[in-house]
Amino acid sequence: MPDMVNLSAHSQQHPQQRQFNPYTENGGTILAIAGADFSVIAGDTRQSEGYSIQTRYAPKVFRLTDRAVLAVNGFAADGNMFVKKVRQRLEWYRHAHAKDMPLRAIARLIQTMLYSRRFFPFYVYNILAGIEEDGSGAVYSFDPVGSYEREACRAAGAGQSLVQPFLDNQIYFKNQKAAHGTSHPAHLPLNTVLSLVIDSFTSATERHIEVGDGLEIYVVLSKGRPMHGLEGLRGMEEVTTTNDGERVFVIRRDLKKD
Amino acid sequence: MSIMQLNGGSVVAMVGKDCVGIATDMRLGNQALGISSEFQRVFPLTDRIYYGLPGLATDVATLRERFRYRVNMYTIKEEREIEPETFAHLVSSTLYEHRFGPYFVEPVIAGLSKTPSGGLKPFIAATDLIGCLNFAKDFVVAGTASEKLFGVAEGLWEPDLEPEDLFETISQTLMNAVDRDAYSGWGCTVHILTKDQVITRTLKARMD
Amino acid sequence: MDHFPTNWGRPRNDAIDLYGTYPIHSRPGPTTDAFSDGVQRTQQPIVTGTSVLAIKYKDGIMMAADTLASYGSLARFKSIQRLHSVGEHTVIGASGDLSDYQYIQSLLDEVMIEEFSAADGHSLSPDEIHEFLSRVMYSRRSQMNPLWNSILVGGFKNGKRFLAYVDLLGTTYSASTLATGYGSYIAQPLLRKAVEGNEDTLTEEQARSILTQSLRVLFYRDARSLNKYQIATINAQGTHISDPVTLDTEWSFAEGIRGYGSQTK
């Protein structure tokens, strides 16, 4: 019993105070795949907190320049603020250098911006996709404090563990052996990639309550690359701002709303 | 760290055309430390029923013996082999007997059940650790890689797969899921049950 | 109650005890300097308002809130206005701490005066006011000193409807129906069913009856609500906040209820 007395005396000295939690988790999934001369980056449009759907349309994928698209997932308020800050830095760069920042430079910028908040992080998983200066499709993925890597494909967010192993299998051909005298392609064609992206999100929607409602797929095409396969696609819209550079498209699709 | 994740391991079962598949990894671990790459957690019960017990290894051993005992008693009393559906309910009630101090396993059952016309119908089921039954028409998953298994299976599975296609589908599902799971892997075993044979194969998988 | 069946029957995790049902050993708190006692940062809401509801309709936005300010479970002030118009085109409505809300109103008043003084012929649009609010809320949460509110912003300017949400974390979103507090659990499903897909056809009459019915349901089930409410309309004619109205409610069914409180037979 003396212990109990001590415990209550101790708790009177320091009244139990509920600390304000500055973070929450808003669900959703994002995903990006790089092709030889294009990249595709997508996210669902559901925003939720706990078991409540806040809205069925809150974009998580944002066009930064004609050759860079950024997807953010995690705590929505941090995500929106982070995109806002990245865009401001890109605008300053444009004013200083009279051109858009190259993709790999944006990637490094994002890493320094995330790391600058190492001790009060933006609770956001970032995926950056676009076209490098050499015309190749690229995907960069980040953790909330700025560790980053260039890859061919990456999924993040609530559905990461459902989607990533599927992509390992279908993009990297993991655990698959090519037939005799053949080899697996290093990059897949655009229409295959788009089908995989849509299938990934339909699967994640089927099995994860935080994924669904709508799908936004951004496609960035390298300079001078023919459109083949993309023109006339249902729900497609071009969002390019300049005439003779890379081109950006967005494809909007419905996902199950339950 | 949950007891369910202490030893690691995952099982998946799928329905095909007149056949079923059940596949598992072979890792036994103690948290992050790998102990064995030859651990068995999928067992034959009859010629037409296989079941897997991902979860706490000590309970895997205990339950295997309990199920063997209870099914033997059933066979003697009834003078016939147990049907997969019946076994699923046996598993469920065995687990629910321990509702407030459960065995830490999530059983997966795959079998071919007899139809009134004398044919065979594929059957799969899974339960949680207290025996809540899930009779799925497509696939069931359990274990530390269950979320990954759900993701890949949802993308790869299709209806009416022939035995060899089912083998490929279930193998790819399992291997790609466990390769992204730190607590599963270290080899895979696959069983495909058809009307006249059971195909058992050990897969060449990543061992890291 | 743990709602995740897979957690049932597993050993409890003593590091996380959501409902404080078990005396948990607590470590000494973080070391602080000599002045820390004099600084109050993290707070809890004191005098609070409950749900605010808002929907889009044919001509604009309609928003509703009751007039109760609660002090814990005490119905402390029964005639507090929680809807507030900001300029010509916007109405905001808040739930949560009402002193924080009054501070926000004074901030907005200040901004509106500043904008008026510029005399540049420009008046702040609803989305600009929402942006301002979300920046204030996000910056305060980042200082670990939040304004403890969930706020709805409704507006109509240049023929365009605007309806958005912002809360103490700086989280923002927009939809054709919005609700805060208990309203997000109880009223939002009713609002979505009535409004989604009909945003451009709902008349003012219909919108009003949808909101009134939702407020009634809330009054029946939310113990911190009141049967006195106000409705704001924001449309081409500008903003209008109604005088307090009393809900007609039906309680005769209560006679038939047995087994609660003092009535046990």
Side-chain angles (χ1 to χ4, degrees):
Chain A
M1 274 334 267
D3 279 337
M4 296 291 280
V5 174
N6 272 343
L7 187 72
S8 60
H10 177 260
S11 61
Q12 265 164 18
Q13 262 180 306
H14 302 277
Q16 190 120 6
Q17 209 177 7
R18 263 189 72 80
Q19 241 250 296
F20 169 64
N21 178 194
Y23 294 112
T24 188
E25 172 96 58
N26 295 108
T29 290
I30 51 172
L31 147 66
I33 298 168
D37 53 0
F38 66 89
S39 43
V40 174
I41 180 164
D44 68 328
T45 64
R46 174 175 293 183
Q47 191 179 107
S48 59
E49 191 174 10
Y51 290 128
S52 299
I53 296 172
Q54 296 181 318
T55 177
R56 300 191 192 281
Y57 184 71
K60 279 192 275 289
V61 193
F62 301 92
R63 196 195 67 90
L64 297 176
T65 67
D66 276 349
R67 65 167 90 110
V69 182
L70 179 63
V72 290
N73 194 241
F75 173 34
D78 269 354
N80 292 329
M81 185 52 68
F82 188 72
V83 170
K84 209 167 280 182
K85 288 182 180 239
V86 171
R87 282 187 162 153
Q88 185 177 50
R89 295 288 293 266
L90 294 180
E91 189 174 332
W92 289 348
Y93 182 96
R94 237 176 345 257
H95 291 151
H97 300 95
K99 63 169 186 138
D100 281 335
M101 192 187 278
L103 192 70
R104 60 189 205 91
I106 300 177
R108 177 62 65 88
L109 173 73
I110 287 173
Q111 111 83 205
T112 52
M113 289 177 68
L114 289 170
Y115 195 78
S116 72
R117 286 278 295 269
R118 170 63 179 76
F119 297 108
F120 184 24
F122 287 110
Y123 182 45
V124 174
Y125 287 88
N126 282 283
I127 301 178
L128 176 72
I131 304 295
E132 292 288 15
E133 282 169 304
D134 66 1
S136 62
V139 164
Y140 291 90
S141 71
F142 303 78
D143 80 352
V145 287
S147 293
Y148 80 113
E149 180 180 21
R150 185 181 167 179
E151 321 177 81
C153 92
R154 170 61 63 189
Q160 179 183 42
S161 55
L162 287 90
V163 173
Q164 190 67 56
F166 177 67
L167 260 27
D168 290 343
N169 188 223
Q170 299 293 311
I171 303 283
Y172 292 121
F173 298 104
K174 288 277 173 70
N175 293 301
Q176 285 189 262
K177 228 169 119 184
H180 271 296
T182 65
S183 63
H184 291 306
H187 292 287
L188 294 168
L190 179 54
N191 57 348
T192 314
V193 169
L194 285 175
S195 308
L196 285 171
V197 168
I198 293 168
D199 283 0
S200 298
F201 275 94
T202 345
S203 294
T205 302
E206 197 66 42
R207 294 285 180 179
H208 201 112
I209 55 168
E210 291 173 2
V211 184
D213 288 334
L215 174 58
E216 271 185 341
I217 310 169
Y218 279 77
V219 181
V220 194
L221 298 186
S222 187
K223 198 183 300 188
R225 181 194 190 275
M227 290 265 286
H228 49 65
L230 197 60
E231 58 274 71
L233 217 60
R234 184 166 58 85
M236 192 202 65
E237 182 194 335
E238 180 159 4
V239 287
T240 318
T241 54
T242 57
N243 276 326
D244 49 356
E246 293 78 5
R247 301 174 74 182
V248 193
F249 302 84
V250 57
I251 302 159
R252 294 198 174 83
R253 290 293 167 89
D254 280 339
L255 289 173
K256 282 169 69 176
K257 293 185 196 297
D258 55 3
Chain B
M1 171 55 76
S2 160
I3 296 189
M4 294 301 289
Q5 269 108 281
L6 188 72
N7 301 121
S10 303
V11 178
V12 54
M14 284 179 174
V15 168
K17 188 172 168 48
D18 303 322
C19 57
V20 282
I22 181 167
T24 175
D25 68 314
M26 296 172 76
R27 181 179 183 271
L28 172 86
N30 183 199
Q31 306 220 45
L33 174 67
I35 302 291
S36 168
S37 59
E38 291 169 0
F39 187 71
Q40 297 293 320
R41 65 180 116 252
V42 166
F43 312 108
L45 190 80
T46 68
D47 289 346
R48 292 203 178 82
I49 306 174
Y50 273 64
Y51 69 100
L53 300 171
L56 190 69
T58 184
D59 288 346
V60 173
T62 311
L63 277 177
R64 184 194 182 182
E65 290 307 310
R66 283 197 74 146
F67 290 144
R68 189 170 71 90
Y69 168 76
R70 289 194 148 185
V71 168
N72 281 343
M73 293 306 284
Y74 180 96
T75 318
I76 293 164
K77 267 187 185 164
E78 297 275 325
E79 296 182 323
R80 65 188 171 95
E81 267 194 353
I82 196 168
E83 285 297 308
E85 287 91 337
T86 322
F87 178 61
H89 282 101
L90 186 148
V91 168
S92 170
S93 51
T94 307
L95 291 177
Y96 197 77
E97 278 178 14
H98 303 272
R99 170 64 179 79
F100 297 109
Y103 289 115
F104 296 100
V105 289
E106 294 178 326
V108 169
I109 299 145
L112 297 168
S113 58
K114 286 206 182 76
T115 59
S117 54
L120 289 173
K121 198 167 104 15
F123 172 87
I124 54 162
T127 89
D128 67 3
L129 75 169
I130 52 170
C132 174
L133 277 165
N134 167 21
F135 304 109
K137 289 184 180 63
D138 42 12
F139 52 83
V140 286
V141 302
T144 53
S146 60
E147 235 186 283
K148 288 126 189 159
L149 285 164
F150 265 130
V152 191
E154 196 66 56
L156 296 187
W157 186 88
E158 47 188 277
D160 296 325
L161 289 163
E162 296 294 334
E164 277 308 314
D165 297 334
L166 181 69
F167 167 77
E168 197 60 34
T169 307
I170 199 169
S171 305
Q172 289 294 329
T173 302
L174 183 72
M175 282 200 287
N176 289 288
V178 300
D179 284 355
R180 280 280 175 184
D181 184 28
Y183 300 112
S184 300
W186 265 22
C188 298
T189 319
V190 182
H191 309 274
I192 304 291
L193 283 64
T194 65
K195 72 172 169 28
D196 39 33
Q197 63 169 340
V198 177
I199 309 163
T200 299
R201 294 193 182 119
T202 307
L203 303 178
K204 184 181 171 219
R206 284 181 72 120
M207 300 300 277
D208 57 356
Chain C
M1 174 71 189
D2 188 338
H3 292 280
F4 289 96
T6 49
N7 293 339
W8 297 351
R10 291 179 183 175
R12 67 184 306 134
N13 181 355
D14 279 349
I16 304 160
D17 185 18
L18 279 175
Y19 298 94
T21 53
Y22 188 76
I24 303 166
H25 164 78
S26 55
R27 293 199 190 87
T31 51
T32 47
D33 63 30
F35 300 102
S36 60
D37 285 351
V39 183
Q40 200 167 71
R41 293 181 147 277
T42 307
Q43 36 157 336
Q44 46 173 337
I46 307 293
V47 176
T48 59
T50 184
S51 324
V52 184
L53 315 178
I55 57 174
K56 285 187 180 172
Y57 74 104
K58 186 162 68 76
D59 311 318
I61 303 295
M62 199 176 281
M63 196 182 289
D66 67 22
T67 61
L68 179 65
S70 305
Y71 180 72
S73 59
L74 174 73
R76 181 66 181 82
F77 305 106
K78 305 223 279 183
S79 196
I80 289 287
Q81 197 181 106
R82 296 197 287 129
L83 302 177
H84 172 71
S85 57
V86 184
E88 306 280 281
H89 320 288
T90 313
V91 168
I92 64 169
S95 56
D97 190 284
L98 291 176
S99 62
D100 281 351
Y101 181 47
Q102 287 176 0
Y103 169 70
I104 289 165
Q105 289 178 348
S106 73
L107 277 185
L108 286 169
D109 286 349
E110 223 171 278
V111 173
M112 295 315 282
I113 290 169
E114 230 168 82
E115 289 291 317
F116 177 80
S117 310
D120 54 2
H122 175 256
S123 61
L124 283 186
S125 59
D127 60 313
E128 288 165 332
I129 288 167
H130 177 260
E131 179 74 29
F132 172 79
L133 273 178
S134 66
R135 296 288 188 102
V136 171
M137 300 296 275
Y138 183 80
S139 101
R140 287 290 293 263
R141 86 98 215 187
S142 300
Q143 298 164 48
M144 291 298 277
N145 185 198
L147 294 168
W148 215 284
N149 299 104
S150 299
I151 304 172
L152 300 189
V153 181
F156 189 92
K157 194 186 178 189
N158 300 329
K160 287 186 101 168
R161 292 174 296 198
F162 179 86
L163 181 55
Y165 167 102
V166 57
D167 68 14
L168 74 168
L169 292 173
T171 308
T172 55
Y173 51 89
S174 178
S176 52
T177 68
L178 288 178
T180 69
Y182 264 100
S184 68
Y185 303 111
I186 295 172
Q188 184 73 302
L190 306 169
L191 297 177
R192 283 184 182 157
K193 193 174 176 191
V195 175
E196 273 181 6
N198 307 320
E199 294 88 345
D200 300 325
T201 50
L202 283 177
T203 62
E204 186 167 326
E205 192 102 323
Q206 290 170 312
R208 193 177 298 273
S209 95
I210 291 165
L211 283 181
T212 317
Q213 179 59 23
S214 302
L215 284 169
R216 184 175 293 117
V217 174
L218 277 170
F219 178 59
Y220 282 132
R221 284 292 171 183
D222 178 4
R224 305 282 169 267
S225 68
L226 194 67
N227 60 343
K228 201 169 128 189
Y229 67 97
Q230 287 175 293
I231 284 192
T233 51
I234 311 99
N235 51 37
Q237 279 73 257
T239 69
H240 176 261
I241 298 175
S242 77
D243 287 335
V245 194
T246 306
L247 276 171
D248 46 317
T249 46
E250 171 60 61
W251 290 99
S252 59
F253 68 89
E255 292 293 315
I257 298 176
R258 289 291 178 275
Y260 292 100
S262 57
Q263 224 171 21
T264 50
K265 274 188 225 151

Coordinates of all heavy atoms in Angstrom, one line a residue, chain C residues 186-240:
Chain C
I186 N -23.4 12.3 -37.1 CA -24.9 12.1 -37.1 C -25.5 12.8 -38.3 O -26.4 12.3 -39.0 CB -25.4 12.7 -35.8 CG1 -24.9 11.8 -34.7 CG2 -27.0 12.6 -35.8 CD1 -25.3 12.3 -33.3
A187 N -25.1 14.1 -38.6 CA -25.8 14.9 -39.6 C -25.2 14.6 -41.0 O -26.0 14.6 -42.0 CB -25.8 16.3 -39.3
Q188 N -23.9 14.5 -41.1 CA -23.3 14.4 -42.4 C -23.9 13.3 -43.3 O -24.1 13.6 -44.5 CB -21.8 14.2 -42.2 CG -20.9 14.1 -43.5 CD -20.7 15.5 -44.1 OE1 -21.7 16.1 -44.5 NE2 -19.5 15.9 -44.3
P189 N -24.2 12.1 -42.8 CA -24.8 11.1 -43.7 C -26.1 11.5 -44.2 O -26.5 11.3 -45.4 CB -25.0 9.9 -42.8 CG -24.0 10.0 -41.7 CD -23.9 11.5 -41.5
L190 N -26.9 12.2 -43.4 CA -28.2 12.7 -43.8 C -28.1 13.8 -44.8 O -28.8 13.8 -45.9 CB -29.0 13.3 -42.6 CG -29.2 12.4 -41.4 CD1 -29.7 13.2 -40.2 CD2 -30.1 11.2 -41.7
L191 N -27.1 14.7 -44.6 CA -26.9 15.8 -45.5 C -26.4 15.3 -46.9 O -26.9 15.7 -47.9 CB -25.8 16.8 -45.0 CG -26.2 17.5 -43.7 CD1 -25.0 18.3 -43.2 CD2 -27.4 18.4 -43.9
R192 N -25.5 14.3 -46.9 CA -25.0 13.8 -48.1 C -26.1 13.1 -48.9 O -26.2 13.3 -50.1 CB -23.8 12.7 -47.8 CG -22.5 13.4 -47.5 CD -21.4 12.4 -47.3 NE -20.2 13.0 -46.9 CZ -19.2 12.4 -46.2 NH1 -19.3 11.1 -45.9 NH2 -18.1 13.1 -45.9
K193 N -26.9 12.4 -48.2 CA -28.0 11.7 -48.9 C -28.9 12.7 -49.6 O -29.4 12.5 -50.7 CB -28.8 10.8 -47.9 CG -29.7 9.8 -48.6 CD -30.3 8.9 -47.5 CE -31.3 8.0 -48.2 NZ -32.1 7.3 -47.2
A194 N -29.2 13.8 -48.9 CA -30.1 14.8 -49.4 C -29.5 15.7 -50.5 O -30.2 16.2 -51.4 CB -30.7 15.6 -48.3
V195 N -28.2 16.0 -50.4 CA -27.7 17.0 -51.2 C -26.8 16.5 -52.4 O -26.9 17.1 -53.5 CB -26.8 18.0 -50.3 CG1 -26.1 19.0 -51.1 CG2 -27.7 18.6 -49.2
E196 N -26.0 15.5 -52.2 CA -25.1 15.1 -53.2 C -25.8 14.8 -54.5 O -26.7 14.0 -54.6 CB -24.2 13.9 -52.8 CG -23.0 14.3 -52.0 CD -22.1 13.2 -51.6 OE1 -22.4 12.0 -51.9 OE2 -21.2 13.4 -50.8
G197 N -25.3 15.5 -55.6 CA -26.0 15.4 -56.9 C -27.1 16.3 -57.1 O -27.5 16.5 -58.2
N198 N -27.6 17.0 -56.0 CA -28.7 17.9 -56.2 C -28.3 19.4 -55.9 O -29.2 20.2 -55.6 CB -29.9 17.5 -55.2 CG -30.3 16.1 -55.4 OD1 -30.3 15.6 -56.5 ND2 -30.5 15.4 -54.3
E199 N -27.0 19.6 -55.8 CA -26.5 20.9 -55.4 C -27.2 22.0 -56.2 O -27.4 23.2 -55.7 CB -25.0 21.0 -55.5 CG -24.3 20.1 -54.5 CD -24.0 18.7 -55.1 OE1 -24.6 18.4 -56.1 OE2 -23.2 18.0 -54.5
D200 N -27.4 21.8 -57.5 CA -27.8 22.8 -58.4 C -29.4 22.9 -58.6 O -29.9 23.7 -59.3 CB -27.2 22.6 -59.8 CG -25.7 22.6 -59.8 OD1 -25.2 23.4 -59.0 OD2 -25.1 21.9 -60.5
T201 N -30.1 22.0 -57.9 CA -31.5 22.0 -58.0 C -32.2 22.3 -56.7 O -33.4 22.8 -56.7 CB -32.1 20.7 -58.5 OG1 -31.5 19.7 -57.8 CG2 -31.7 20.5 -60.0
L202 N -31.6 22.1 -55.6 CA -32.2 22.4 -54.3 C -32.6 23.8 -54.1 O -31.8 24.7 -54.3 CB -31.2 22.0 -53.1 CG -31.0 20.5 -52.8 CD1 -30.0 20.4 -51.7 CD2 -32.3 19.9 -52.4
T203 N -33.9 24.0 -53.7 CA -34.3 25.4 -53.5 C -34.0 25.8 -52.1 O -33.6 25.0 -51.3 CB -35.8 25.5 -53.6 OG1 -36.4 24.7 -52.6 CG2 -36.3 25.0 -55.0
E204 N -34.1 27.1 -51.8 CA -33.8 27.6 -50.5 C -34.7 26.9 -49.4 O -34.2 26.5 -48.4 CB -34.0 29.1 -50.5 CG -33.6 29.7 -49.1 CD -33.5 31.3 -49.2 OE1 -33.1 31.8 -50.2 OE2 -33.8 31.9 -48.2
E205 N -36.0 26.8 -49.8 CA -36.9 26.1 -49.0 C -36.5 24.7 -48.6 O -36.4 24.3 -47.4 CB -38.3 26.0 -49.8 CG -39.4 25.6 -48.9 CD -40.3 26.8 -48.6 OE1 -39.8 27.9 -48.3 OE2 -41.5 26.6 -48.6
Q206 N -36.1 23.9 -49.7 CA -35.6 22.5 -49.4 C -34.4 22.5 -48.6 O -34.3 21.7 -47.7 CB -35.4 21.8 -50.8 CG -36.6 21.6 -51.6 CD -36.3 21.1 -53.0 OE1 -35.5 21.7 -53.7 NE2 -37.0 20.0 -53.4
A207 N -33.4 23.4 -48.9 CA -32.2 23.4 -48.1 C -32.5 23.7 -46.7 O -31.9 23.0 -45.8 CB -31.3 24.5 -48.7
R208 N -33.4 24.6 -46.4 CA -33.7 25.0 -45.1 C -34.3 23.8 -44.3 O -33.9 23.5 -43.2 CB -34.6 26.2 -45.0 CG -34.8 26.8 -43.7 CD -35.7 28.0 -43.8 NE -35.1 29.1 -44.7 CZ -34.3 30.0 -44.3 NH1 -33.9 30.1 -43.0 NH2 -33.8 30.9 -45.2
S209 N -35.2 23.0 -45.0 CA -35.8 21.9 -44.3 C -34.8 20.8 -44.1 O -34.9 20.1 -43.1 CB -37.0 21.4 -45.1 OG -36.7 20.4 -45.9
I210 N -33.8 20.6 -45.0 CA -32.8 19.5 -44.8 C -32.0 19.9 -43.5 O -31.7 19.0 -42.7 CB -31.9 19.5 -46.0 CG1 -32.6 18.9 -47.2 CG2 -30.6 18.6 -45.7 CD1 -31.9 19.1 -48.5
L211 N -31.6 21.2 -43.4 CA -30.8 21.6 -42.3 C -31.6 21.5 -41.0 O -31.0 21.0 -40.0 CB -30.2 23.0 -42.5 CG -29.1 23.1 -43.5 CD1 -28.6 24.6 -43.6 CD2 -27.9 22.3 -43.0
T212 N -32.8 21.9 -41.0 CA -33.6 21.9 -39.8 C -33.8 20.5 -39.3 O -33.7 20.2 -38.1 CB -35.0 22.5 -40.1 OG1 -34.8 23.7 -40.9 CG2 -35.7 22.9 -38.8
Q213 N -34.1 19.6 -40.3 CA -34.3 18.2 -39.9 C -33.0 17.6 -39.3 O -33.1 16.9 -38.2 CB -34.7 17.4 -41.1 CG -34.9 15.9 -40.9 CD -36.0 15.6 -39.8 OE1 -36.9 16.5 -39.6 NE2 -35.9 14.5 -39.2
S214 N -31.8 18.0 -39.8 CA -30.6 17.5 -39.3 C -30.3 18.0 -37.9 O -29.8 17.3 -37.0 CB -29.4 17.8 -40.2 OG -29.7 17.3 -41.5
L215 N -30.6 19.3 -37.7 CA -30.5 19.9 -36.4 C -31.4 19.2 -35.4 O -31.0 19.1 -34.2 CB -30.8 21.4 -36.5 CG -29.8 22.3 -37.1 CD1 -30.4 23.7 -37.3 CD2 -28.5 22.4 -36.2
R216 N -32.5 18.8 -35.8 CA -33.5 18.2 -34.9 C -32.9 16.8 -34.5 O -32.9 16.5 -33.3 CB -34.8 18.0 -35.6 CG -35.9 17.4 -34.7 CD -37.3 17.3 -35.4 NE -37.8 18.7 -35.7 CZ -38.0 19.2 -36.9 NH1 -37.8 18.5 -38.0 NH2 -38.5 20.4 -37.0
V217 N -32.4 16.1 -35.5 CA -31.8 14.8 -35.1 C -30.7 15.0 -34.1 O -30.5 14.3 -33.2 CB -31.3 14.1 -36.4 CG1 -30.6 12.8 -36.1 CG2 -32.5 13.7 -37.3
L218 N -29.9 16.0 -34.4 CA -28.7 16.3 -33.5 C -29.2 16.7 -32.1 O -28.6 16.3 -31.1 CB -27.9 17.5 -34.1 CG -26.9 17.1 -35.1 CD1 -26.3 18.3 -35.8 CD2 -25.8 16.3 -34.5
F219 N -30.3 17.4 -32.1 CA -30.8 17.8 -30.7 C -31.3 16.6 -30.0 O -31.1 16.5 -28.7 CB -32.0 18.8 -30.9 CG -32.6 19.2 -29.6 CD1 -31.8 19.8 -28.6 CD2 -33.9 19.0 -29.3 CE1 -32.3 20.2 -27.4 CE2 -34.5 19.4 -28.1 CZ -33.7 20.0 -27.1
Y220 N -31.9 15.6 -30.7 CA -32.3 14.4 -30.0 C -31.1 13.6 -29.5 O -31.3 12.9 -28.4 CB -33.1 13.5 -31.0 CG -34.5 14.0 -31.2 CD1 -35.1 14.1 -32.5 CD2 -35.4 14.3 -30.1 CE1 -36.4 14.5 -32.7 CE2 -36.7 14.7 -30.3 CZ -37.2 14.8 -31.6 OH -38.5 15.1 -31.8
R221 N -30.0 13.6 -30.1 CA -28.9 12.7 -29.8 C -27.7 13.4 -29.2 O -26.9 12.7 -28.5 CB -28.5 11.9 -31.0 CG -29.5 10.8 -31.3 CD -29.5 9.7 -30.3 NE -30.6 8.7 -30.5 CZ -30.9 7.7 -29.8 NH1 -30.1 7.5 -28.7 NH2 -31.9 6.9 -30.0
D222 N -27.4 14.6 -29.5 CA -26.2 15.3 -29.0 C -26.6 16.0 -27.7 O -27.4 17.0 -27.7 CB -25.7 16.3 -30.0 CG -24.5 17.0 -29.5 OD1 -24.0 16.7 -28.4 OD2 -24.0 17.9 -30.3
A223 N -26.0 15.5 -26.6 CA -26.4 16.1 -25.3 C -25.9 17.5 -25.1 O -26.3 18.2 -24.1 CB -25.8 15.2 -24.2
R224 N -25.0 17.9 -25.9 CA -24.4 19.3 -25.8 C -25.1 20.2 -26.8 O -24.5 21.2 -27.2 CB -22.9 19.3 -26.0 CG -22.2 18.4 -25.0 CD -22.0 18.9 -23.6 NE -21.5 17.9 -22.7 CZ -22.3 17.1 -22.0 NH1 -23.6 17.2 -22.1 NH2 -21.8 16.2 -21.2
S225 N -26.2 19.9 -27.3 CA -26.9 20.8 -28.3 C -28.1 21.4 -27.7 O -28.6 21.1 -26.6 CB -27.3 19.9 -29.5 OG -28.3 19.0 -29.2
L226 N -28.7 22.3 -28.5 CA -29.9 23.1 -28.0 C -30.9 23.2 -29.1 O -30.6 23.1 -30.3 CB -29.4 24.5 -27.6 CG -30.4 25.4 -26.8 CD1 -30.5 24.8 -25.4 CD2 -29.8 26.8 -26.7
N227 N -32.2 23.3 -28.7 CA -33.3 23.4 -29.7 C -33.5 24.8 -30.2 O -34.5 25.2 -30.6 CB -34.6 22.8 -29.1 CG -35.0 23.6 -27.9 OD1 -34.2 24.3 -27.3 ND2 -36.3 23.4 -27.5
K228 N -32.5 25.7 -30.0 CA -32.5 27.0 -30.5 C -31.4 27.2 -31.5 O -30.2 26.9 -31.1 CB -32.4 28.0 -29.4 CG -33.0 29.4 -29.7 CD -33.1 30.2 -28.4 CE -32.4 31.5 -28.5 NZ -32.3 32.2 -27.2
Y229 N -31.7 27.7 -32.7 CA -30.6 27.7 -33.7 C -30.8 28.9 -34.6 O -31.8 29.6 -34.6 CB -30.7 26.4 -34.6 CG -31.9 26.3 -35.4 CD1 -31.9 26.7 -36.7 CD2 -33.1 25.8 -34.9 CE1 -33.0 26.6 -37.5 CE2 -34.2 25.8 -35.7 CZ -34.2 26.1 -37.0 OH -35.3 26.1 -37.8
Q230 N -29.7 29.1 -35.4 CA -29.8 30.2 -36.4 C -29.4 29.6 -37.8 O -28.6 28.6 -37.8 CB -28.8 31.3 -36.1 CG -29.3 32.2 -35.0 CD -28.3 33.2 -34.6 OE1 -27.2 32.9 -34.1 NE2 -28.6 34.5 -34.8
I231 N -29.9 30.1 -38.9 CA -29.5 29.7 -40.2 C -29.0 30.8 -41.0 O -29.6 31.9 -41.0 CB -30.7 29.0 -40.9 CG1 -30.9 27.6 -40.3 CG2 -30.5 28.9 -42.4 CD1 -31.8 26.7 -41.1
A232 N -27.9 30.6 -41.6 CA -27.3 31.7 -42.5 C -27.5 31.3 -43.9 O -27.3 30.2 -44.3 CB -25.9 31.9 -42.2
T233 N -27.8 32.3 -44.8 CA -27.8 32.1 -46.2 C -26.8 33.0 -46.8 O -26.7 34.2 -46.4 CB -29.2 32.3 -46.9 OG1 -29.6 33.6 -46.4 CG2 -30.2 31.3 -46.4
I234 N -26.1 32.5 -47.8 CA -25.1 33.3 -48.5 C -25.4 33.1 -50.0 O -25.2 32.0 -50.5 CB -23.6 32.9 -48.2 CG1 -23.4 32.7 -46.7 CG2 -22.7 33.9 -48.8 CD1 -23.4 31.3 -46.2
N235 N -25.8 34.1 -50.7 CA -26.2 34.0 -52.1 C -25.9 35.3 -52.8 O -25.3 36.2 -52.2 CB -27.6 33.5 -52.2 CG -28.6 34.4 -51.4 OD1 -28.4 35.6 -51.3 ND2 -29.6 33.7 -50.8
A236 N -26.5 35.5 -54.0 CA -26.2 36.7 -54.8 C -26.7 38.0 -54.0 O -26.2 39.0 -54.3 CB -26.9 36.6 -56.1
Q237 N -27.7 37.8 -53.1 CA -28.2 39.0 -52.4 C -27.2 39.3 -51.2 O -27.5 40.3 -50.5 CB -29.6 38.7 -51.8 CG -30.7 38.9 -52.8 CD -30.7 37.8 -53.9 OE1 -30.3 38.0 -55.0 NE2 -31.2 36.6 -53.4
G238 N -26.2 38.6 -51.0 CA -25.3 38.8 -49.9 C -25.5 37.8 -48.8 O -26.0 36.7 -49.0
T239 N -25.1 38.2 -47.6 CA -25.2 37.2 -46.5 C -26.4 37.6 -45.6 O -26.7 38.8 -45.5 CB -23.9 37.2 -45.6 OG1 -23.9 38.5 -44.9 CG2 -22.7 37.0 -46.4
H240 N -27.0 36.6 -45.0 CA -28.1 36.9 -44.1 C -28.1 35.8 -43.0 O -28.0 34.6 -43.2 CB -29.4 36.8 -44.8 CG -30.6 37.0 -43.9 ND1 -31.3 35.9 -43.4 CD2 -31.1 38.1 -43.3 CE1 -32.3 36.3 -42.6 NE2 -32.1 37.7 -42.5

